[in-house]
Amino acid sequence: MDLQKYKNHLFQTIKNKLTEWLSLKEETVLAEELYRFLHSIKGTSGTLQLDDLMQISSELLSNLENDENKIWTEIELNNFLFPLIKFIYKYENSDNIASLNNKVLNSSAPLIQIIDDDVSMLILLKDVLETKGWMVITNTNPENAVKQYFEMKPDCLILDIQLPQKDGFQVLQEIQHNSEKYFIPTIMISIKNNKETRIKAYQMGADDFFKKPIDMEEFVVKIKRHLHRKKIFDQSVLIDELTQVYNRKFLTDNMQRVFLDFKRTKQPFSISIVDIDFFKKINDTYGHLMGDQVLRDFAQYIKRNIRSMDTIYRYGGEEFVIVFPKTTSKDVKKLLTKLIKGFAQIEYTHKEMCFSVTFSAGIYTVMEESVTITDAFKEADSSLYEAKRLGRSRVECLQTTSNVYQKSTLNISVVDDDTIIRTLLSQMLESITIDNIKLNIKTFENGPSFLNSEHAQEDVNHFLILDGVMPVMDGLEVLQKVKQEKNAHKYKVLMLTGRKSQVEIERALRLGADDYVTKPFNVTDLQVRIERILNMLK
């Protein structure tokens, strides 16, 4: 007996009911009705040998027993039924998602930027490179691409020479003129393959050159090699050999960028100078080899227990500097106090003698443009001195708190006519936290409801996730209207497109979309991508 048509019927019935309930607005659902729905799913899914669905419905029924008289609102149903919603989406797109699972991004995946007005080439390169687990961002407009480069700070740049408005050589020159002292492998591509073009590419600073059409197998191997070279370069030039954290030279170079970012974004950041307590005594009593071990352990302990966006540098001897973006002294003090207690739990043994180690820290939060790098380090060092004066193994901040920092707001909108996808994305976005940024998340079922909302008109930064194909007004028309508004510069737009909609992707990129993801998407992959974009966009 072929059960597939019965399975399809069951899933369509479930989806219809979920769509109805998740669009309730002001209406409510009785617990009895919800119970009957889940009980029916459990019985039918068991008969059709859908074990995963039966388990989900059983668990939901079990949780429902404590709320027999509850009256459910749309938001409550949204949260409660999310496991079922997620399962339905995966089941409907199981064939495509199965192939996506082999290339799920991780948060530290290398980031590659491609600048090319040949959208067919962009789509091909993005698809091929992302199968390797790399995150790829694309752009067709040279002006927007340069801005994107400095916002996203890619690990590798792929740049076409033939571009509108300005050519690839001009783009590369602008990037290098304004770039920090980092090594970013740059690969130039072109339909021209004459000796003069290749030589000019290398003279302008390109690390590699490929002619179109591109041999993809060779291209992928070289990209991998360039990313590996970057990793080795960063470690050899920027990493302290003993502790394997960034060195003082990189701190000096990087602080210029940190202060420039602050002046651009107006988002405060904190600097902490930390010092291992009585380190000379450790060397004198247990020897320099043990002292080196403590330094290595300390640096790696801090590195493991701060956020990925925070950075630790070895400042000199037993002193380290930690830079905390978008964080004020109150939160830094809380974290470092916890880390002091945690590090003190580590027990060292030398010739049957046991000892533990603590550290002291001073903090300063940069909140005003008049503050210089020298000022900030002087203030942090004064706070460190105060921590030592008060007995060590503590964190101090002498800075007054009169200038209180308020979290900035980031509006996030999901515009999609599919209730299941809206709910899925809404729940995923609710799980994301960005330090010192308040995420204001709303969903809309069509373009006009979004464009006419106060949410769309607010003069704050805005991240828009926009479906390409919708009734009433398609996503491209919504994108075009957004880019014509006076607050267009506040928007970052991620388009959701069909799997083979090349024309749609091309129009979206030309209209100013910042990135695109094809449907069906892997939810984990999309979350990593969005988190990374939000963290990098200061």
Side-chain angles (χ1 to χ4, degrees):
M1 180 181 181
D2 182 12
L3 298 178
Q4 190 57 49
K5 67 176 183 179
Y6 299 103
K7 291 179 181 179
N8 292 341
H9 178 73
L10 172 62
F11 277 96
Q12 188 58 52
T13 301
I14 295 172
K15 186 174 180 180
N16 289 343
K17 179 55 72 174
L18 288 174
T19 301
E20 175 191 335
W21 281 351
L22 298 175
S23 305
L24 284 173
K25 304 302 180 189
E26 303 300 324
E27 298 177 40
T28 57
V29 173
L30 297 176
E32 182 181 354
E33 188 178 357
L34 181 56
Y35 177 85
R36 286 199 304 270
F37 173 64
L38 294 173
H39 192 272
S40 174
I41 294 174
K42 179 181 177 181
T44 308
S45 60
T47 302
L48 296 176
Q49 301 171 18
L50 293 167
D51 295 339
D52 290 342
L53 181 57
M54 185 173 71
Q55 182 179 346
I56 290 172
S57 55
S58 296
E59 290 175 355
L60 291 173
L61 277 169
S62 177
N63 293 334
L64 191 60
E65 289 177 359
N66 299 323
D67 296 298
E68 294 179 358
N69 300 314
K70 185 177 178 64
I71 298 176
W72 294 80
T73 64
E74 177 194 355
I75 294 175
E76 290 170 335
L77 279 172
N78 187 325
N79 295 330
F80 181 73
L81 293 174
F82 184 67
L84 181 59
I85 295 166
K86 194 172 182 179
F87 181 81
I88 294 297
Y89 177 79
K90 285 185 175 181
Y91 180 84
E92 281 192 319
N93 301 283
S94 57
D95 292 339
N96 288 314
I97 289 180
S99 65
L100 295 176
N101 286 335
N102 296 323
K103 58 166 190 170
V104 173
L105 292 174
N106 65 67
S107 58
S108 59
L111 177 66
I112 299 171
Q113 182 183 16
I114 307 174
I115 306 172
D116 195 334
D117 70 327
D118 182 347
V119 177
S120 297
M121 178 63 70
L122 278 182
I123 295 170
L124 173 62
L125 293 180
K126 181 180 173 78
D127 285 349
V128 170
L129 296 179
E130 289 201 337
T131 62
K132 305 302 175 184
W134 303 325
M135 179 175 166
V136 178
I137 54 174
T138 60
N139 215 300
T140 60
N141 181 287
E143 295 292 341
N144 294 339
V146 171
K147 182 181 178 183
Q148 186 183 56
Y149 177 90
F150 288 108
E151 285 180 339
M152 300 298 288
K153 304 176 183 67
D155 297 297
C156 182
L157 173 65
I158 301 168
L159 176 61
D160 185 32
I161 294 176
Q162 285 74 38
L163 293 171
Q165 300 157 26
K166 60 176 67 175
D167 64 31
F169 294 128
Q170 292 172 298
V171 172
L172 183 58
Q173 187 175 33
E174 185 175 350
I175 284 173
Q176 291 183 335
H177 178 72
N178 295 288
S179 184
E180 305 88 10
K181 300 174 183 178
Y182 294 143
F183 167 52
I184 308 294
T186 301
I187 300 171
M188 301 203 84
I189 57 179
S190 176
I191 56 173
K192 293 183 179 180
N193 189 36
N194 55 65
K195 184 177 179 180
E196 181 183 355
T197 301
R198 296 197 307 272
I199 288 176
K200 185 175 181 180
Y202 290 121
Q203 287 176 334
M204 294 293 293
D207 298 284
D208 212 336
F209 180 92
F210 271 84
K211 68 178 180 67
K212 294 180 177 180
I214 293 172
D215 182 319
M216 294 307 300
E217 186 177 1
E218 180 184 356
F219 189 69
V220 168
V221 169
K222 284 201 170 185
I223 293 288
K224 186 175 182 180
R225 181 61 183 161
H226 283 300
L227 291 171
H228 183 63
R229 284 176 59 236
K230 174 176 169 54
K231 184 176 181 181
I232 292 174
F233 177 86
D234 287 349
Q235 289 178 340
S236 63
V237 177
L238 310 175
I239 302 296
D240 176 65
E241 186 176 358
L242 175 64
T243 61
Q244 292 298 296
V245 298
Y246 287 119
N247 58 26
R248 183 165 183 161
K249 179 183 182 302
F250 185 53
L251 171 65
T252 303
D253 292 343
N254 204 34
M255 287 312 298
Q256 300 285 347
R257 181 186 63 79
V258 171
F259 270 78
L260 285 174
D261 281 348
F262 164 67
K263 289 179 180 179
R264 177 171 60 84
T265 65
K266 308 295 187 288
Q267 293 188 354
F269 68 95
S270 294
I271 296 171
S272 177
I273 301 179
V274 300
D275 184 274
I276 297 176
D277 295 330
F278 304 111
F279 185 72
K280 184 177 184 300
K281 183 178 178 181
I282 294 172
N283 277 335
D284 292 345
T285 306
Y286 309 108
H288 288 275
L289 289 178
M290 179 56 73
D292 286 352
Q293 183 62 50
V294 169
L295 285 172
R296 281 193 293 268
D297 290 350
F298 173 75
Q300 292 304 309
Y301 171 81
I302 296 294
K303 187 176 179 180
R304 285 194 309 272
N305 288 283
I306 56 179
R307 306 165 303 179
S308 59
M309 65 192 299
D310 304 327
T311 313
I312 178 173
Y313 309 81
R314 188 179 182 192
Y315 196 47
E318 68 274 21
E319 259 190 351
F320 295 79
V321 169
I322 312 171
V323 178
F324 297 90
K326 297 180 283 188
T327 311
T328 54
S329 57
K330 179 181 177 181
D331 292 329
V332 173
K333 185 172 184 178
K334 184 178 178 180
L335 172 63
L336 291 179
T337 300
K338 179 182 176 182
L339 295 188
I340 288 174
K341 293 177 181 177
F343 191 63
Q345 300 299 313
I346 300 173
E347 190 173 86
Y348 289 91
T349 303
H350 178 77
K351 294 182 180 180
E352 299 183 352
M353 292 185 293
C354 296
F355 67 97
S356 59
V357 182
T358 60
F359 65 91
S360 303
I363 308 168
Y364 182 76
T365 299
V366 178
M367 292 187 281
E368 297 176 354
E369 290 190 29
S370 59
V371 175
T372 65
I373 296 175
T374 302
D375 293 336
F377 275 80
K378 183 178 178 181
E379 293 293 336
D381 195 53
S382 296
S383 293
L384 173 62
Y385 179 82
E386 180 69 4
K388 291 181 177 182
R389 188 186 71 81
L390 294 173
R392 293 180 168 81
S393 187
R394 61 189 296 131
V395 185
E396 291 297 329
C397 179
L398 297 176
Q399 187 176 11
T400 62
T401 57
S402 56
N403 192 354
V404 179
Y405 170 60
Q406 299 294 326
K407 283 188 175 184
S408 59
T409 297
L410 173 66
N411 281 359
I412 300 182
S413 298
V414 177
V415 185
D416 196 308
D417 63 308
D418 188 321
T419 308
I420 298 295
I421 289 181
R422 283 203 311 274
T423 305
L424 196 66
L425 291 178
S426 175
Q427 287 291 316
M428 180 265 286
L429 291 165
E430 291 287 353
S431 70
I432 294 177
T433 57
I434 307 296
D435 290 290
N436 288 311
I437 302 290
K438 178 185 175 184
L439 302 183
N440 186 14
I441 303 163
K442 292 189 182 300
T443 63
F444 302 87
E445 61 186 13
N446 57 54
S449 65
F450 164 69
L451 291 170
N452 295 326
S453 69
E454 292 183 5
H455 195 68
Q457 303 300 324
E458 285 185 274
D459 189 29
V460 298
N461 290 330
H462 205 127
F463 185 69
L464 172 61
I465 302 175
L466 182 60
D467 186 28
V469 180
M470 294 183 291
V472 186
M473 179 187 290
D474 70 32
L476 293 172
E477 189 177 352
V478 176
L479 174 61
Q480 189 170 24
K481 288 184 178 297
V482 164
K483 290 299 180 178
Q484 292 171 348
E485 294 292 331
K486 61 181 181 180
N487 62 344
H489 64 286
K490 298 276 189 178
Y491 272 84
K492 296 294 175 186
V493 182
L494 174 68
M495 290 292 296
L496 302 179
T497 74
R499 197 126 196 83
K500 297 181 181 179
S501 304
Q502 180 172 325
V503 174
E504 185 181 312
I505 294 171
E506 179 172 359
R507 285 194 61 202
L509 291 174
R510 295 199 188 285
L511 286 171
D514 297 278
D515 199 3
Y516 71 89
V517 170
T518 54
K519 287 183 175 181
F521 48 80
N522 182 295
V523 178
T524 303
D525 179 283
L526 184 60
Q527 179 165 347
V528 169
R529 182 182 296 273
I530 290 173
E531 284 182 337
R532 188 158 185 179
I533 290 172
L534 295 183
N535 273 305
M536 286 182 168
L537 297 176
K538 301 292 187 178

